[in-house]
Amino acid sequence: MNKHDNTLQEEEHVEHKKLGKDRYNKQMKKLQIELAHLQAWVKKSGARVIILFEGRDAAGKGGMIKRITERVSPRVFRVIALPSPSDREKSQMFMQRYIQHFPAAGEIVIFDRSWYNRAGVERVMGFCSGKTTRRFLELTPLFEAAIVESGIILLKYFLTVGEEEQERRFRRRIDDPLRQWKLSPMDVTSYQRWWDYSRAYDEMLKVTDRPDAPWWIVPSDDKERARINCISHILKSIPYERVKFDEPDLGKRQKRPNDYVAPEATAAVVPDVL
């Protein structure tokens, strides 16, 4: 049995005991410390890393990316979430709008959805033809082989979520004003066309899962467990080393000059509301 079996066709996930909040927070803190060490190594070594996240709507891609990036520098960990292509971009070679965001030395680029839009939403929604999709699936393994050959570390993750859990998350978005912005018309369509997306994703994973750029499935009905598992896998997949931190000497702060006088009138101060 390979790593993709029983992940998309039936969305069957192994039942685990829920992580306690204290245990989750403790483990997440350890992982975020390691992400900081990874960041230091990437900067020093000049490594280039691409991490892309695909998956079902409401599978938890945004939360995953937030936990990865919330304690590191956005100048090293760059998140790319592209909108619909402009008229100019539609006239370009398909991969062109993604390539311009690829990492330079010392950068990790995280794609919140990627060129695989063509094999998922664009295919299901009829934004591209079947012929175009088939050609994309033929060329993508070659494209990704070239990425890896250039020295870029490429990690591909597909987040799955069961039908019942996806519906529960969608209904929470409908009922919660703080989550309503997350629910787009495209999400509603993906809910209604569950099996059309299943077929598209099944073929996408089968055709583009190659030894030099494999897919890794992340069961995400339990979002906390999914985050721990996926971040742990990222850290194990990149051969980083801990870089010694050169502690700076702050020295002494200058003394207040005898002739310094604070201004009588300052800029308006934001009022205290508590």
Side-chain angles (χ1 to χ4, degrees):
M1 181 178 292
N2 63 43
K3 64 176 180 289
H4 298 324
D5 290 342
N6 295 325
T7 55
L8 295 179
Q9 291 285 359
E10 300 178 4
E11 298 294 335
E12 293 181 354
H13 304 303
V14 177
E15 290 294 330
H16 292 285
K17 183 179 179 180
K18 280 279 188 178
L19 293 174
K21 183 176 180 180
D22 290 343
R23 185 183 178 195
Y24 167 73
N25 289 335
K26 182 178 180 180
Q27 187 63 25
M28 183 57 66
K29 182 177 180 180
K30 290 180 179 179
L31 293 173
Q32 290 179 332
I33 288 173
E34 285 305 313
L35 287 169
H37 288 302
L38 170 62
Q39 173 179 253
W41 174 81
V42 167
K43 289 176 64 178
K44 182 175 181 180
S45 67
R48 295 171 294 156
V49 181
I50 292 176
I51 305 172
L52 65 85
F53 287 99
E54 293 288 342
R56 298 278 189 181
D57 289 315
K61 294 180 293 297
M64 181 78 73
I65 293 170
K66 178 180 178 181
R67 289 349 180 259
I68 292 172
T69 59
E70 64 183 350
R71 303 303 296 272
V72 291
S73 170
R75 290 184 292 274
V76 177
F77 283 76
R78 294 196 292 112
V79 179
I80 306 299
L82 298 181
S84 299
S86 64
D87 289 340
R88 181 175 186 275
E89 288 172 329
K90 289 178 182 178
S91 72
Q92 296 174 340
M93 184 176 69
F94 177 70
M95 294 295 186
Q96 191 171 340
R97 69 193 299 249
Y98 297 99
I99 293 174
Q100 64 180 317
H101 297 288
F102 276 22
E107 292 182 341
I108 297 174
V109 170
I110 299 175
F111 281 98
D112 183 356
R113 295 201 182 277
S114 64
W115 44 92
Y116 282 102
N117 268 346
R118 173 134 295 179
V121 63
E122 290 188 17
R123 178 182 193 177
V124 174
M125 298 302 297
F127 298 153
C128 66
S129 66
K131 180 180 179 181
T132 298
T133 302
R134 289 191 295 273
R135 187 58 176 160
F136 168 83
L137 292 174
E138 291 174 1
L139 293 177
T140 295
L142 302 176
F143 172 66
E144 292 177 351
I147 293 174
V148 175
E149 186 177 346
S150 75
I152 294 176
I153 297 171
L154 175 62
L155 299 174
K156 305 189 301 186
Y157 294 98
F158 190 94
L159 278 62
T160 65
V161 64
E163 292 181 79
E164 292 183 3
E165 179 62 18
Q166 186 194 56
E167 180 172 350
R168 188 186 71 82
R169 293 177 186 178
F170 278 168
R171 295 197 181 281
R172 285 186 68 191
R173 293 179 181 184
I174 292 171
D175 296 337
D176 185 350
L178 297 178
R179 290 186 171 92
Q180 288 170 356
W181 64 271
K182 292 183 177 183
L183 191 62
S184 70
M186 204 69 71
D187 293 331
V188 174
T189 302
S190 74
Y191 170 81
Q192 297 168 346
R193 301 184 64 175
W194 174 274
W195 292 107
D196 289 338
Y197 274 93
S198 290
R199 292 190 180 96
Y201 287 142
D202 286 346
E203 184 177 7
M204 179 190 85
L205 293 174
K206 180 180 179 180
V207 174
T208 60
D209 179 40
R210 299 297 178 91
D212 51 357
W215 278 105
W216 293 97
I217 304 299
V218 185
S220 301
D221 274 8
D222 182 338
K223 290 191 289 188
E224 287 77 16
R225 187 178 294 276
R227 292 165 188 165
I228 297 297
N229 291 340
C230 188
I231 296 174
S232 297
H233 188 271
I234 290 171
L235 291 166
K236 291 177 180 178
S237 300
I238 301 174
Y240 72 98
E241 299 176 354
R242 290 198 172 191
V243 176
K244 185 179 182 300
F245 176 66
D246 294 326
E247 183 177 336
D249 180 7
L250 291 179
K252 295 182 178 180
R253 193 191 299 273
Q254 67 179 153
K255 294 182 179 180
R256 176 172 175 151
N258 293 331
D259 60 349
Y260 176 79
V261 179
E264 293 183 3
T266 61
V269 178
V270 173
D272 187 354
V273 298
L274 297 179

